[in-house]
Amino acid sequence: MLIIDRYIMQRFLAGVLPVLILLLALFSFLALAEELEDVGRGDFTMPDALMIIFLTTPKRIVELLPVTALLGGLLGLGAMANNRELIAIRTNGLSKQRMAHAVTALAILLGAFITVLQFSVVPGFEREAAHLRSKALQGMGSDTGETGAVWTRHNSYFIHVNEVRFDRTLVDVEIYATDEQGRLTQLIQTSSADYAGNGTWLLIDVLQSDIEQARVKETPRMNMLWQDLLSEEQVSVLMLPLEALAPNDLVETIFNLRRNQLDTHQYEIVLWQQVSLLPGLLAMALLSLPFLLGSVRSVSASQRIMIGGLIGIGFYLAQQMTGHLAGILGINPSLVILAPPFIVLALSLIHISEPTR
């Protein structure tokens, strides 16, 4: 049976690869159209836009693999069904459950591939892409993969950031407050600042110096909140989007924000969306079997692909909608986001476990 298992996995993978390449080409073209809008800003050029598309490819692979598993399974195993290979295999005593074991094994391997990309590849590639995008703001790029010193202003405050890390952390921040005559009245120094969302920053290890005439009063603080250290444009260009952070970075950030009694809902949504990719991948892979283990004469290959495509698109949209729904209604993200993949997985297992008639 090991030979049959390997053959099923090979045929499944043979269907996944061309579908993945096709979807990657489509979504990369759409992403390139967006990047081209920034060509000409600062030092941002066409080669930079193409490089960004290449660097963001791992993230697209992670997002597309669950849908690709369904379409690839229909394509690869569908070829076996059309050639009556599945019928021959079933005639020799291979049950639906046994075939599902082979598909599950391949889905686990693909899940391990997704995990490696999420933890090791996507954050680094997205960091490089963010560095290239920073050229859209003149003077804010560097060759180190991180951004150098930044000066900005908010109301009467002048803000100096020594270093901007793409993991949404500012290093060595100084905030200068002035009066109406432009005289320095306060200096706030902090070793680091973490972005908490909605323009709010958590300053850590703070030294506040209040200047009154010739006297300086220093007040150390463990942490404090501050609004608008960087503009929205600077945040969007200089920092990784939440979706590009590794799961362990998201968990660490959530713990830090909870420790300081700050809202973590947005971070939890992204974290559970990343977690849901693994059961979603397994659910989509197993869902291809019910389409193929019934009558192959009544449904053509093109019809299977079309139905599978509609289901895949619906599943993808459901995943996106549940994330937004959890954010809008304040519902527990884990329950809402994990519901679609586990529902599909349960339906697939029920059909596979049904006795053959």
Side-chain angles (χ1 to χ4, degrees):
M1 289 299 182
L2 291 178
I3 296 177
I4 295 179
D5 288 340
R6 287 197 298 268
Y7 183 71
I8 292 175
M9 294 171 67
Q10 289 173 359
R11 297 310 302 166
F12 196 104
L13 195 59
V16 167
L17 290 178
V19 172
L20 181 60
I21 293 173
L22 178 62
L23 291 179
L24 274 179
L26 175 61
F27 281 84
S28 296
F29 177 79
L30 296 176
L32 178 61
E34 294 182 3
E35 295 297 335
L36 290 178
E37 296 179 1
D38 290 332
V39 171
R41 293 184 59 196
D43 298 328
F44 196 74
T45 62
M46 181 66 176
D48 291 329
L50 293 174
M51 180 58 69
I52 286 176
I53 298 304
F54 169 74
L55 291 172
T56 54
T57 296
K59 182 171 177 289
R60 276 190 289 276
I61 292 176
V62 170
E63 295 174 343
L64 291 173
L65 261 180
V67 176
T68 303
L70 172 59
L71 296 177
L74 293 177
L75 186 64
L77 299 185
M80 293 179 62
N82 292 335
N83 294 331
R84 301 298 185 267
E85 290 177 300
L86 289 183
I87 295 178
I89 291 174
R90 294 287 303 279
T91 302
N92 288 327
L94 190 69
S95 65
K96 293 189 294 183
Q97 294 81 2
R98 192 67 181 80
M99 293 180 62
H101 290 169
V103 174
T104 300
L106 180 59
I108 291 174
L109 292 176
L110 292 176
F113 176 63
I114 283 182
T115 302
V116 171
L117 290 181
Q118 285 180 320
F119 278 91
S120 303
V121 180
V122 171
F125 275 49
E126 288 288 330
R127 187 177 298 115
E128 291 299 321
H131 168 59
L132 287 179
R133 286 194 189 95
S134 70
K135 291 184 178 181
L137 295 177
Q138 292 189 10
M140 302 190 73
S142 72
D143 295 329
T144 63
E146 293 183 343
T147 303
V150 175
W151 279 95
T152 187
R153 180 178 181 178
H154 178 65
N155 296 329
S156 61
Y157 294 98
F158 293 87
I159 302 167
H160 175 256
V161 180
N162 187 54
E163 182 183 343
V164 180
R165 294 179 179 172
F166 291 114
D167 60 358
R168 307 173 83 81
T169 301
L170 309 181
V171 179
D172 295 334
V173 181
E174 297 174 341
I175 304 173
Y176 301 87
T178 58
D179 57 18
E180 296 179 355
Q181 287 73 39
R183 294 174 296 190
L184 183 65
T185 60
Q186 187 182 68
L187 171 61
I188 297 176
Q189 298 169 291
T190 177
S191 60
S192 63
D194 294 331
Y195 189 57
N198 298 322
T200 302
W201 296 83
L202 176 64
L203 309 185
I204 301 173
D205 190 15
V206 180
L207 177 61
Q208 178 177 327
S209 302
D210 296 305
I211 303 171
E212 298 179 359
Q213 297 180 354
R215 299 184 350 182
V216 178
K217 179 183 178 182
E218 294 185 345
T219 306
R221 302 174 183 270
M222 292 186 61
N223 54 66
M224 64 184 298
L225 297 179
W226 198 270
Q227 287 291 127
D228 302 323
L229 278 177
L230 296 179
S231 67
E232 290 296 328
E233 184 180 25
Q234 289 170 326
V235 170
S236 63
V237 172
L238 296 175
M239 296 188 171
L240 287 177
L242 285 180
E243 294 79 5
L245 295 180
N248 58 314
D249 292 331
L250 285 170
V251 171
E252 182 179 355
T253 302
I254 290 171
F255 283 150
N256 289 336
L257 294 177
R258 282 181 177 175
R259 191 182 306 119
N260 293 278
Q261 299 180 342
L262 296 175
D263 181 40
T264 63
H265 207 70
Q266 184 180 8
Y267 291 84
E268 291 179 44
I269 289 173
V270 176
L271 175 62
W272 285 110
Q273 284 179 328
Q274 292 184 356
V275 172
S276 69
L277 290 173
L278 299 180
L281 174 63
L282 178 59
M284 290 289 101
L286 291 177
L287 186 61
S288 62
L289 290 178
F291 282 94
L292 302 170
L293 296 179
S295 174
V296 297
R297 296 179 179 178
S298 58
V299 182
S300 65
S302 60
Q303 288 177 313
R304 287 195 296 266
I305 296 297
M306 183 185 69
I307 296 174
L310 292 176
I311 293 176
I313 293 173
F315 179 80
Y316 178 81
L317 293 177
Q319 287 290 81
Q320 301 300 314
M321 288 176 61
T322 52
H324 292 298
L325 186 63
I328 293 173
L329 301 180
I331 306 174
N332 189 327
S334 60
L335 295 177
V336 179
I337 294 174
L338 292 178
F342 277 106
I343 289 174
V344 175
L345 180 59
L347 293 176
S348 301
L349 293 176
I350 289 173
H351 188 282
I352 293 172
S353 62
E354 289 179 350
T356 303
R357 298 178 182 179

